[in-house]
């Protein structure tokens, strides 16, 4: 049998992303439940943030022109945070605290450390200029300005910013519903004893965690028997429940590899030999109109192909602003002497060797090995048809970036 040529990663991604259906369904969520979700609309600031000029320090508010060296200024007011201050009487100072509103008439705040306070008046031991230690109204966001744009993932700082706008609810993109199907007669779920010839189903759990981080809802998670009928039946059932099906295993050219065969027979198999290492056998297609990724069976291949191929697809479906991860250019701490026709994603981490930052590769890059992925903090890229000399720059993607 003639082998189909390998599809370069970019070509496959361009093809996949072009087909990715952008989710238009949205939901309103309490802000407290929105972390990790994707904004389904732009948000403008309905008012200035902060809403008023306020003090950046604990100290005294005054009019700069009332200051003279050695002049005692009576303290005419005390303005705790949360109170609405009366206008400042000319020729006086007001005791003020961090976050307190600046009283009308005051144009500067002197830190308490620069002040000698005695009997209801202060002397200032510092040069005083207007506009010191004042956080201006609207300095974070001016009323009407664009605060956050559609497609933004809500992280801690976005949660805080939305709260600062006074929003208790946000409109987010509905989570993609995903079915995880693990193929293989050898698979047993953890918690059961292993019989002869059996192994624990690893990929199901890797995928559950990856999908949770990717902001997806897993609606189905089943293990398939290696028969054509079981594969067909389960794929078709999954297609009615999910927006996306992800299978693992069964996409090589072995006799027991039924996922590829079912997709091929249904006529919607887009690609199945990707120039990626680990993870060459990778299928993309559709079952009854529902897109499906047929990931390889080997656990490290599942991790890598999910991060490098499925994640950009999911981000596109979610309407994310940035779909592709951004790598860091860092010196390689290892050599690659024999070029490969496949782009290799090496389980790696940043280490400091003699005070220099280097990307170190785990010695065990077998596609069946997950312990090296646990050792790693990211993936380093060895481009196709290339060798690599230690010390030269490579692209490194932290796992956090790949899952961002
Ligand atoms: P396959 O592509 O089905 O031939 O699978 C390739 C390799 O991955 C075989 O060694 C399988 O036993 C292994 N494998 C497949 N699925 C899983 C899984 N869910 N968990 C752990 N290993 C798996
Ligand atoms: Mg199999």
């Amino acid at each position: 049998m003639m082998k189909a040529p390998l599809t370069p990663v970019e070509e496959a991604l361009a093809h996949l992303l072009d087909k990715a259906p952008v989710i238009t369904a949205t939901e309103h969520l309490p802000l407290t439940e929105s972390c990790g979700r994707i904004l389904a609309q732009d948000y403008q600031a309905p008012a200035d943030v902060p809403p008023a000029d306020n003090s950046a320090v604990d100290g005294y508010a005054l009019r700069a022109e009332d200051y003279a060296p050695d002049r005692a200024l009576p303290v005419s007011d005390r303005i705790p945070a949360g109170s609405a201050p009366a206008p400042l009487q000319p020729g006086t100072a007001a005791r003020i605290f961090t976050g307190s509103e600046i009283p009308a008439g005051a144009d500067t705040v002197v830190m308490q450390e620069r002040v000698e306070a005695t009997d209801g008046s202060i002397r200032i031991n510092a040069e005083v200029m207007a506009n010191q230690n004042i956080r201006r109204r609207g300095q974070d966001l001016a009323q009407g300005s664009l605060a956050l744009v559609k497609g933004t993932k809500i992280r801690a700082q976005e949660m805080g910013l939305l709260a600062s706008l006074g929003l208790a609810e946000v409109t987010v993109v509905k989570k993609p519903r995903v079915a995880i199907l693990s193929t293989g007669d050898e698979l047993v779920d953890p918690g059961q004893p292993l019989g002869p010839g059996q192994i624990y189903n690893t990929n199901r759990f890797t995928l559950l965690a990856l999908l949770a981080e990717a902001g997806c809802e897993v609606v189905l998670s089943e293990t398939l028997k290696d028969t054509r009928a079981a594969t067909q039946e389960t794929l078709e059932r999954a297609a009615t429940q999910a927006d996306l099906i992800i299978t693992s295993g069964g996409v090589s050219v072995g006799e027991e590899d039924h996922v590829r065969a079912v997709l091929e027979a249904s006529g919607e198999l887009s690609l199945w030999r990707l120039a990626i290492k680990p993870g060459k056998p990778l299928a993309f297609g559709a079952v009854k109109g529902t897109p499906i990724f047929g990931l390889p069976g080997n656990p490290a291949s599942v991790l890598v192909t999910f991060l490098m191929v499925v994640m950009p697809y999911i981000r596109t479906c979610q309407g994310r602003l940035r779909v592709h991860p951004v790598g860091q250019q860092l010196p390689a701490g290892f050599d690659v002497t024999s070029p490969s026709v496949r782009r290799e994603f090496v389980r790696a981490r940043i280490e400091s060797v003699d005070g220099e930052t280097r990307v170190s590769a785990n010695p065990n890059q077998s596609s069946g090995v997950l312990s090296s992925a646990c050792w790693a903090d990211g993936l380093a890229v060895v481009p196709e048809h290339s060798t690599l000399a230690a010390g030269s720059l490579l692209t490194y993607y932290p796992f956090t970036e790949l899952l961002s």
Side-chain angles (χ1 to χ4, degrees), residues 182-183 186-187 199-203 248-252 257 297-299:
S182 314
T183 76
E186 71 277 34
L187 302 179
I199 59 168
Y200 287 117
N201 185 344
T202 302
N203 299 337
S248 73
V251 286
S252 296
D257 294 327
N298 282 306

Side-chain angles (χ1 to χ4, degrees), residues 44-119:
Q44 262 95 20
D48 286 328
V49 181
D53 291 353
N54 66 89
S55 180
V57 295
D58 292 333
Y60 294 85
L62 60 143
R63 198 189 315 257
E65 65 181 43
D66 287 342
Y67 162 79
D70 292 329
R71 177 174 179 190
L73 288 176
V75 177
S76 59
D77 200 1
R78 185 173 186 280
I79 311 168
S83 64
L88 182 71
Q89 293 167 31
T92 73
R95 180 76 171 117
I96 200 164
F97 303 91
T98 307
S100 297
E101 273 191 28
I102 305 291
D107 61 8
T108 194
V109 174
V110 180
M111 289 170 79
Q112 62 187 25
E113 289 82 351
R114 302 274 179 274
V115 167
E116 235 174 274
T118 40
D119 300 336

